[in-house]
Amino acid sequence: MYIPFDRLPPHARLWIYQANRALTETEQAEIKPLLERFATEWSSHGTGLQASARLLHNQFLVLANNESATAASGCSIDKSVSFVQELEQRFGVSFFDRTRLAFLQGEEVKLVGMNEIKEKVASGEIDENTLYFDTLVTNYGELQQAWPRPAGCSWLSRYF
């Protein structure tokens, strides 16, 4: 069962997929109804999930489920991964590249390779106050309160 993204409870579980590039307006317009349809049909062992989905910052696909209504099973999570892989194929984008981190610089999402972090910190391009899109956020409340969050308040704090 689809529920609007902004009506998710704070404890709703999230899965965040970061695209390797910004999605165009045309791509977003095509993807949005696919997300709603997936969330509407998403189920666990035949029981519909209270699910939602949204694109954020032109770069992040977020799937959500109200776990207190019905928990997502391994099979339902596999279905969501397959759905995201289908989107990758259809739109020629990668949502599974974990080697690049996303930062908000001005109004733009900038991707930085993991192998570049020390260099970017040393040059001052990234500091503890640079806003970081932590894709490890696991619930809607955290997404609402601290996403993006200062890099110094994330696992990246060890670099400062």
Side-chain angles (χ1 to χ4, degrees):
M1 172 179 89
Y2 177 80
I3 57 176
F5 196 76
D6 58 355
R7 293 198 183 148
L8 288 165
H11 61 272
R13 185 174 176 190
L14 298 181
W15 294 267
I16 301 173
Y17 298 92
Q18 175 182 298
N20 64 333
R21 62 172 175 79
L23 299 167
T24 67
E25 287 184 25
T26 302
E27 289 171 329
Q28 291 178 62
E30 288 182 51
I31 291 172
K32 286 177 183 178
L34 298 173
L35 292 176
E36 187 170 334
R37 183 174 38 197
F38 175 77
T40 300
E41 297 171 356
W42 198 13
S43 65
S44 176
H45 300 292
T47 302
L49 300 177
Q50 283 189 6
S52 193
R54 181 165 284 176
L55 291 173
L56 298 174
H57 299 278
N58 306 327
Q59 195 116 15
F60 304 93
L61 186 154
V62 182
L63 301 178
N65 178 49
N66 179 3
E67 295 273 301
S68 63
T70 304
S73 65
C75 292
S76 61
I77 293 169
D78 288 348
K79 287 178 195 171
S80 69
V81 170
S82 293
F83 169 70
V84 175
Q85 289 171 331
E86 289 170 19
L87 292 177
E88 285 185 317
Q89 293 296 313
R90 183 169 174 175
F91 295 97
V93 64
S94 174
F95 286 106
F96 292 97
D97 180 1
R98 301 289 186 209
T99 64
R100 297 171 77 191
L101 305 176
F103 296 89
L104 184 63
Q105 296 184 331
E107 295 296 315
E108 192 175 342
V109 175
K110 296 280 189 178
L111 297 179
V112 175
M114 289 284 293
N115 60 343
E116 301 173 79
I117 293 295
K118 288 181 182 178
E119 173 188 319
K120 299 283 186 185
V121 169
S123 71
E125 289 180 60
I126 295 174
D127 64 29
E128 63 273 359
N129 296 311
T130 303
L131 295 177
Y132 167 60
F133 290 100
D134 188 351
T135 58
L136 301 177
V137 167
T138 60
N139 67 63
Y140 182 71
E142 190 177 2
L143 182 84
Q144 292 300 104
Q145 294 174 2
W147 202 77
R149 72 178 73 198
C153 296
S154 73
W155 66 272
L156 292 167
S157 64
R158 67 179 179 225
Y159 292 102
F160 308 109

